[in-house]
Amino acid sequence: MFMVDVIDVKAEPIHKYQQIIDDLERAIHEGKYTAGSRLPSENQLSDQYGVSVPTVRKALELLVYQKKIYRIRGNGTFVSSPEMMEENIPDTPARKRQSKQICFIMVVDRNDSSIMKMIRGAQNYLFHKGYTMTMLCGAERSQSEMSLIQECIDNNVGGVLLFSTNPEDSLEGIRHLYQKGIKAVMLDRAPKELPTSLVAAYNVDGGYQMTKYFLKNNHRRILFAADRMELVAEQDRLTGCRMALAEEGFDPNALPIVEHTSENLEELVRMVRQQNITAIQCVNDKVAATVIRRLEQEGLHVPADVSVAGFDNSDESEYNYPRITTMDQPFEEMGRIAASKLLGLMAGSSHTQVHVPVSLVIKESTAPYVERNAQPSE
């Protein structure tokens, strides 16, 4: 059931509240606000229409209920993509016979708060749609993933949500699900060799935004610290970084890159010193935290000597010292969208991929670069 706060609108003409809905729907339809674009804030809409914030809020809540917009806490209100605008899927005889159990499979090599947030978003959505969700977790091995998928098949689940550390290892398992008529949606990453429904962050834009932030703050010698460049998400973040460099007139192919950073910290420190690197753009927060610790051990202070940024806005970024500048991914929203898409697939819709907007979160691990006075030559 959809619940809204009880709002006293006696002081506000009802046509004003409806006018906000009509105007926003018209603007979306005419392309003024495209899928993923941010709408004006509640206060801005309140000033624009001359109504109270509660009146604006009620209009937005009804648009959220109609799935025409969605809200991300702390980030704002955004226009839904066509895939996210799915209304309640009608109950058909075939659907009523489907299992009401969904399985969330995660094949990872470590605990990750980001995945837990995806699970929470999916679980909340499915609960309100009358479904239950179980979780199966395996180690980072393809044979483990196959055993988990087989368990789902044996339990006659209605559909599968899948987060895999190695998406290419998922090929056999996904094909097996397809053969059994079970629908699946992947989160964050998917194999290239098979049409697969996917919900992921807009990684190219995230890489682009971070590099633009560094360039705006006078950093000209940036290093990209990767972890596993075979992953599409990391390649996309690097692509965004290079796009921003090219846009500002720098040679994107000259960007220094350290792969498998956690294993190559000595190489990273050497490059920082020899190439006078002032900023390190890490592919995720885990790598950023590792880099910061090693730099401090080597007598290089963050951000006084080198700025370091991550990606994900994970708990690790918040509890690190200094706190890590990062790109925020709305993980709970990604889980919700994935669950919605899975129910759509189960009702007969086609495979699609959704890329959710990300946003820059500036913390204490980065600072503007200030050119130091040149040292006298010996």
Side-chain angles (χ1 to χ4, degrees):
M1 180 185 299
F2 176 72
M3 303 293 294
V4 297
D5 295 332
V6 177
I7 301 173
D8 183 3
V9 296
K10 292 180 180 179
E12 301 290 354
I14 191 66
H15 71 272
K16 285 287 188 181
Y17 141 72
Q18 186 62 47
Q19 181 186 349
I20 298 171
I21 295 177
D22 293 343
D23 285 357
L24 288 177
E25 286 181 329
R26 187 180 306 108
I28 293 170
H29 177 72
E30 294 174 352
K32 178 180 178 181
Y33 299 121
T34 58
S37 62
R38 189 196 303 267
L39 295 180
S41 68
E42 291 179 353
N43 288 333
Q44 289 172 328
L45 290 172
S46 173
D47 292 340
Q48 178 180 338
Y49 288 97
V51 298
S52 67
V53 169
T55 299
V56 172
R57 190 169 298 149
K58 183 174 181 181
L60 296 179
E61 283 173 343
L62 288 177
L63 287 171
V64 169
Y65 180 57
Q66 296 168 9
K67 296 187 168 71
K68 293 176 180 177
I69 62 174
Y70 63 96
R71 315 190 80 174
I72 301 176
R73 183 177 299 176
N75 287 321
T77 306
F78 301 86
V79 177
S80 299
S81 65
E83 294 80 13
M84 293 166 60
M85 292 185 187
E86 296 170 349
E87 297 294 333
N88 292 337
I89 302 169
D91 281 331
T92 63
R95 185 182 177 217
K96 290 178 180 178
R97 291 194 298 270
Q98 285 181 334
S99 169
K100 287 285 188 176
Q101 182 177 350
I102 303 299
C103 186
F104 192 112
I105 297 177
M106 43 188 170
V107 184
V108 295
D109 57 353
R110 62 187 177 92
N111 292 329
D112 192 320
S113 62
S114 304
I115 303 173
M116 296 302 107
K117 293 173 183 176
M118 292 181 192
I119 290 172
R120 185 161 60 240
Q123 197 165 37
N124 287 340
Y125 180 86
L126 291 168
F127 173 79
H128 288 96
K129 294 294 183 180
Y131 287 78
T132 59
M133 190 177 84
T134 57
M135 279 76 71
L136 295 177
C137 182
E140 188 184 344
R141 298 189 306 273
S142 59
Q143 60 267 33
S144 174
E145 183 166 309
M146 276 302 300
S147 66
L148 297 179
I149 287 175
Q150 187 59 52
E151 185 174 343
C152 291
I153 294 171
D154 294 341
N155 289 331
N156 193 35
V157 299
V160 171
L161 297 171
L162 176 60
F163 180 95
S164 176
T165 301
N166 287 312
E168 303 309 318
D169 288 344
S170 304
L171 277 170
E172 183 181 356
I174 295 173
R175 289 192 178 108
H176 194 41
L177 287 171
Y178 287 176
Q179 290 168 1
K180 298 296 182 178
I182 297 176
K183 305 300 183 182
V185 174
M186 299 197 71
L187 282 147
D188 191 62
R189 57 197 71 167
K192 299 178 181 178
E193 293 82 359
L194 190 68
T196 310
S197 287
L198 169 70
V199 177
Y202 192 3
N203 288 298
V204 173
D205 184 56
Y208 174 88
Q209 285 189 53
M210 186 62 74
T211 304
K212 293 285 283 188
Y213 162 74
F214 277 140
L215 294 172
K216 181 180 178 181
N217 283 277
N218 205 35
H219 292 280
R220 298 295 181 265
R221 296 181 295 278
I222 302 169
L223 181 146
F224 189 88
D227 187 21
R228 301 172 57 195
M229 283 299 296
E230 69 272 15
L231 297 179
V232 173
E234 296 205 11
Q235 296 170 16
D236 286 347
R237 292 169 193 180
L238 175 58
T239 296
C241 175
R242 284 174 165 161
M243 288 170 62
L245 289 170
E247 188 176 277
E248 296 295 329
F250 296 94
D251 180 4
N253 296 317
L255 173 71
I257 300 172
V258 175
E259 296 190 39
H260 305 290
T261 298
S262 298
E263 303 168 10
N264 293 315
L265 289 171
E266 289 186 9
E267 172 68 8
L268 181 138
V269 172
R270 183 189 65 79
M271 292 176 68
V272 168
R273 286 196 162 120
Q274 290 186 356
Q275 301 185 31
N276 296 319
I277 299 297
T278 67
I280 302 175
Q281 185 164 334
C282 299
V283 76
N284 58 46
D285 294 335
K286 178 175 179 289
V287 169
T290 301
V291 166
I292 290 172
R293 286 194 295 269
R294 186 51 179 268
L295 290 173
E296 295 285 351
Q297 290 170 2
E298 296 291 333
L300 294 166
H301 301 297
V302 177
D305 297 319
V306 186
S307 287
V308 178
F311 202 110
D312 289 341
N313 200 21
S314 64
D315 291 346
E316 199 157 15
S317 74
E318 186 66 21
Y319 299 124
N320 192 79
Y321 181 80
R323 297 189 311 153
I324 301 171
T325 292
T326 185
M327 297 302 305
D328 180 61
Q329 297 190 63
F331 291 110
E332 285 198 38
E333 181 67 12
M334 289 166 64
R336 188 199 71 78
I337 296 170
S340 172
K341 285 182 61 61
L342 181 59
L343 297 191
L345 285 173
M346 292 163 61
S349 64
S350 302
H351 288 296
T352 54
Q353 298 194 350
V354 175
H355 293 89
V356 183
V358 297
S359 57
L360 176 66
V361 181
I362 301 171
K363 302 180 187 178
E364 290 83 27
S365 69
T366 58
Y369 174 69
V370 178
E371 192 74 40
R372 295 173 176 81
N373 293 328
Q375 297 296 320
S377 57
E378 297 181 357

